[in-house]
Amino acid sequence: MDKQAFLNHVMTAAPVVPVVIVNDVAQAVSMSRALVAGGLPAIEITLRTPNAIDCIKAVADEVEGAIPGAGTVLSAEHMAAVEKAGAKFMVSPGTAPKLIDAALDCSVPLLPGTATASEMMALGEKGFTHVKFFPAEAAGGADYLKSIASPLPQFRFCPTGGVSMKNAGSYLSLPNVLCVGGSWVAPANLVEEGDWAGIEALAAEASRLTRAA
Ligand code: 3PG
């Protein structure tokens, strides 16, 4: 399966990709089990904590059914580390040229962040069709993706940033949106409290969202 086809598989596994910030390995494992149990198998673990790489490795090794991804991937060094840890996909906030070149050399597919037609076109020249739209609400929201569908029909999006249960439906009703990303399904207070049943319930609610694509 080529990288864009694999990203398509990741993005259609569920309507929501949880975006998580976690530092404790045991919490990462329990939280991921809850997300998978709630119906959200693809999980973006951001590289924003000192132990994020260990969290990705633990989820990859120990959580049956999870599709662990690495988020906030900003460099070739990050890519090498998350590839070794067992990440199945990577997500970046933007499309820095060196990062994109490194992604072409990495075995793990990258879902790069985009917010403009020019960024999408530049990625299209490198073979990308599956991208993140970030920061979705601040960058124009569902109206922006609706506008881009006719001139750039080849792209499939995961809008992320400011997405919640309130507005996820407006994105998921668009034919060029395969899933949305968001942190609301694994809020920091529930992680700190170890409220895994609460996280499973939020995931289950999110997994029932329907999409057009
Ligand atoms: C992030 O940058 O943390 C992600 O885009 C998630 O954004 P959110 O917290 O608005 O869901």
Side-chain angles (χ1 to χ4, degrees), residues 8 16 19 22 35 50 61 89 93 102 113 120 125 148 156 168-169 197 213:
N8 198 80
V16 179
V19 178
V22 64
L35 291 168
D61 290 347
F89 66 100
M120 293 163 201
E125 290 173 5
I148 217 82
R156 295 292 174 271

Side-chain angles (χ1 to χ4, degrees), residues 15 133-146 157-181 184 209-213:
F133 177 51
F134 178 78
E137 280 294 286
D143 282 348
Y144 187 93
L145 291 179
K146 202 186 263 183
F157 294 95
C158 173
T160 306
V163 182
S164 67
M165 280 302 287
K166 281 201 189 106
N167 58 12
S170 68
Y171 290 102
L172 291 165
S173 66
L174 302 175
N176 57 353
V177 169
L178 298 183
C179 63
V180 299
W184 85 89
L209 286 161
T210 52
R211 64 171 165 245

Side-chain angles (χ1 to χ4, degrees), residues 114 116-122 124 129 144-157 176:
T114 60
T116 68
S118 297
E119 290 168 345
M120 293 163 201
M121 290 165 65
T129 52
Y144 187 93
L145 291 179
K146 202 186 263 183
S147 306
I148 217 82
S150 177
L152 297 176
Q154 71 272 40
F155 289 99
R156 295 292 174 271
F157 294 95
N176 57 353

Side-chain angles (χ1 to χ4, degrees), residues 81-139:
V82 305
E83 182 179 39
K84 195 164 165 231
K88 301 288 186 289
F89 66 100
M90 307 184 290
V91 185
S92 63
T95 65
K98 273 194 211 160
L99 185 79
I100 299 308
D101 285 344
L104 297 176
D105 289 337
C106 182
S107 69
V108 183
L110 173 71
L111 188 71
T114 60
T116 68
S118 297
E119 290 168 345
M120 293 163 201
M121 290 165 65
L123 285 168
E125 290 173 5
K126 303 263 185 188
F128 288 79
T129 52
H130 288 58
V131 299
K132 167 174 158 175
F133 177 51
F134 178 78
E137 280 294 286

